[in-house]
């Protein structure tokens, strides 16, 4: 298995470009945040090879409030366009996205360790390892997956969709907690009588 790392500068520098490095520390790609008028603000990313060639781009489609229940994504790789969507039922509990590629059923799903596995035709071929460090994320790929291939680029870019998912589920959890606090307060206040 080959391992690659990304220092997520967006977290602490609000940087628009991040370096993807191989296990020897060589920069193999840059990930850049893209601003595009017909896409959700701040939810579009481009993968560029170290020599400056754009290899892929992903964005979450702007589907209004529906995105909180079932997000949809568009992944462009060269001239190819792929559509991904949250897996119905699972995405309310954990990150789970599926797609159809030529001759492949793709599932990108969070596991019990909160890492994210990429499955092709029910076989795990790569993972996002989120627990390595606070600002660093690692990607592990089977040797058959080559850097800059469609599945390689897809998984690297899906890390940013995972971050968006985590941010939004955190907001939803906070809203639920607020309603629970209000409910408890109302019950407590209702237990007093004059």
């Amino acid at each position: 298995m080959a391992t690659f790392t990304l220092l997520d500068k967006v977290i602490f520098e609000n940087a628009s470009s991040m370096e993807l490095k191989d296990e020897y520390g060589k920069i193999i790609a840059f990930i850049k945040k893209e601003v595009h008028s017909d896409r959700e603000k701040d939810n579009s990313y481009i993968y560029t090879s170290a020599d400056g060639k754009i290899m892929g781009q992903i964005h979450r489609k702007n589907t209004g409030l529906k995105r909180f229940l079932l997000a949809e994504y568009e992944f462009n790789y060269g001239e190819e366009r792929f559509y991904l969507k949250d897996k119905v039922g699972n995405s309310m509990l954990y990150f789970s996205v599926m797609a159809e590629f030529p001759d492949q059923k793709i599932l990108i799903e969070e596991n019990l360790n909160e890492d994210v596995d990429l499955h092709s035709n029910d076989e795990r071929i790569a993972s996002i390892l989120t627990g390595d460090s606070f600002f660093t994320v690692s990607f592990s790929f089977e040797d058959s997956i080559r850097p800059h291939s469609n599945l390689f680029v897809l998984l690297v870019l899906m890390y940013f969709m995972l971050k968006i998912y985590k941010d939004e589920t955190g907001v939803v959890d906070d809203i639920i907690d607020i309603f629970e606090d209000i409910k408890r307060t109302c019950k407590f206040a209702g237990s007093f009588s004059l």
Side-chain angles (χ1 to χ4, degrees), residues 13-31:
E13 292 181 9
N14 200 21
S16 63
S17 179
M18 292 145 285
E19 302 166 346
L20 181 67
K21 297 181 179 180
D22 67 12
E23 55 198 283
Y24 306 106
K26 180 182 174 189
I27 297 171
I28 66 154
F30 297 96
I31 313 304

Side-chain angles (χ1 to χ4, degrees), residues 82-136:
F82 302 97
Y83 297 97
L84 301 93
K85 62 182 177 179
D86 284 351
K87 188 173 179 184
V88 177
N90 295 18
S91 65
M92 295 298 290
L93 304 171
Y94 53 88
F95 188 72
S96 184
V97 176
M98 51 189 216
E100 296 272 337
F101 278 33
D103 302 320
Q104 293 177 308
K105 288 186 179 182
I106 303 299
L107 177 63
I108 302 168
E109 191 166 61
E110 193 170 7
N111 64 32
L112 295 175
N113 297 326
E114 296 185 13
D115 293 334
V116 175
D117 296 325
L118 169 63
H119 298 266
S120 173
N121 295 332
D122 297 322
E123 179 184 343
R124 186 181 67 81
I125 58 171
S127 297
I128 301 172
L129 308 171
T130 58
D132 285 358
S133 164
F134 189 67
F135 296 117
T136 303

Side-chain angles (χ1 to χ4, degrees), residues 11-110:
I11 294 173
F12 60 94
E13 292 181 9
N14 200 21
S16 63
S17 179
M18 292 145 285
E19 302 166 346
L20 181 67
K21 297 181 179 180
D22 67 12
E23 55 198 283
Y24 306 106
K26 180 182 174 189
I27 297 171
I28 66 154
F30 297 96
I31 313 304
K32 297 176 185 173
K33 188 184 278 193
E34 179 190 39
V35 177
H36 203 285
S37 62
D38 68 341
R39 300 180 183 148
E40 285 190 353
K41 186 176 188 269
D42 295 331
N43 292 342
S44 185
Y45 291 85
I46 297 173
Y47 178 110
T48 306
S49 64
D51 63 3
K53 182 179 179 189
I54 294 176
M55 304 299 295
Q57 184 271 338
I58 196 166
H59 70 272
R60 191 168 69 172
K61 296 174 85 175
N62 191 355
T63 57
L65 291 176
K66 176 184 169 189
R67 74 180 187 270
F68 289 107
L69 298 175
L70 283 175
E72 296 177 12
Y73 311 89
E74 183 179 310
F75 171 60
N76 299 313
Y77 180 78
E79 298 299 316
E80 297 177 287
R81 183 171 290 169
F82 302 97
Y83 297 97
L84 301 93
K85 62 182 177 179
D86 284 351
K87 188 173 179 184
V88 177
N90 295 18
S91 65
M92 295 298 290
L93 304 171
Y94 53 88
F95 188 72
S96 184
V97 176
M98 51 189 216
E100 296 272 337
F101 278 33
D103 302 320
Q104 293 177 308
K105 288 186 179 182
I106 303 299
L107 177 63
I108 302 168
E109 191 166 61
E110 193 170 7

